[in-house]
Amino acid sequence: MRPIIVTAGPLTSASATNIRTASGVAGAGNLTLNGSLVTAGVAILDAARRILFTTTANETTKTILLAGTNWAGDLISETVTLVNASTVASVLDYKTVTSAYCSATLTGNLSIGTNGVASSPWVMFDSWASPAIALQVAVSGTANYTVQQSLDDPNDPTNPVAAASMAWVNSSDTNVVGVAATAQSNYAFAPRYARILLNSGSGTATATFIQAESVSL
């Protein structure tokens, strides 16, 4: 199998208000997106990354239906449950945000922005090939990353799992979990997908995955 290379980062500085500045919400409906990243009602981000919601009151019974596109331009969406005077982030990575629908009137103010977390594009492995996989993550600049994998598949013909509901599990190899240096690892058995989670930093983490050749007949 030819090498597959994916990168997480670099990200511009996070801002809690670059998609929507802090203000109240008077009722259910689409929120006005008015932050510095917004043009003609659409927030265009520097890279696909997590979206941050900040509340100033207890909004735990309220939700936001977030919609936009990912790194490939595919339409994505998820429902985010708001929190009690704190922050909560999306689980998907958005290159654009096209809408944010609030379920009800909010008690306090709400702002929408970005944090310093992002995932690489997902790498899908060949279920018909040998399961052995070698991987290497190269760090450029300052970047803390984690290798993650999932057995869930949104495209499974019998048991699909929505992208926002997939279980992503940290690698069992601690050499590639929460680290800031170049490292190598491997999988003895192939997961369905793998990715790099950029936890923090202004640099990049670039992963190369190589799966063994097809199984002989």
Side-chain angles (χ1 to χ4, degrees):
M1 176 182 175
R2 63 180 177 82
I4 298 177
I5 301 173
V6 293
T7 298
L11 302 179
T12 59
S13 297
S15 168
T17 59
N18 56 12
I19 297 176
R20 183 182 192 269
T21 57
S23 59
V25 176
N30 284 318
L31 302 176
T32 298
L33 306 182
N34 58 2
S36 60
L37 299 179
V38 178
T39 300
V42 176
I44 303 174
L45 286 68
D46 58 305
R49 60 193 295 176
R50 305 294 166 87
I51 306 303
L52 186 73
F53 299 84
T54 303
T55 62
T56 61
N58 188 346
E59 313 291 359
T60 54
T61 62
K62 323 295 174 45
T63 61
I64 301 291
L65 176 59
L66 183 66
T69 58
N70 63 11
W71 52 79
D74 299 323
L75 298 175
I76 57 174
S77 64
E78 65 185 279
T79 299
V80 178
T81 300
L82 297 177
V83 289
N84 184 1
S86 186
T87 61
V88 61
S90 65
V91 298
L92 299 178
D93 298 276
Y94 292 78
K95 182 65 173 69
T96 68
V97 173
T98 54
S99 67
Y101 181 93
C102 188
S103 64
T105 299
L106 298 186
T107 303
N109 291 337
L110 171 70
S111 62
I112 306 175
T114 55
N115 61 15
V117 179
S119 300
S120 71
W122 306 349
V123 175
M124 183 178 181
F125 297 109
D126 187 350
S127 59
W128 294 97
S130 172
I133 298 166
L135 68 96
Q136 175 176 288
V137 183
V139 171
S140 176
T142 301
N144 182 285
Y145 69 89
T146 295
V147 174
Q148 296 183 316
Q149 62 276 335
S150 180
L151 299 181
D152 295 331
D153 187 353
N155 301 309
D156 189 282
T158 57
N159 296 293
V161 177
S165 299
M166 291 174 63
W168 288 95
V169 179
N170 292 349
S171 171
S172 59
D173 182 356
T174 57
N175 291 318
V176 291
V177 176
V179 295
T182 296
Q184 292 184 347
S185 185
N186 61 80
Y187 290 118
F189 300 96
R192 196 66 180 129
Y193 293 96
R195 70 181 185 184
I196 304 302
L197 177 67
L198 182 67
N199 301 309
S200 62
S202 58
T204 61
T206 299
T208 301
F209 296 88
I210 303 178
Q211 187 173 8
E213 297 298 330
S214 299
V215 176
S216 58
L217 298 177

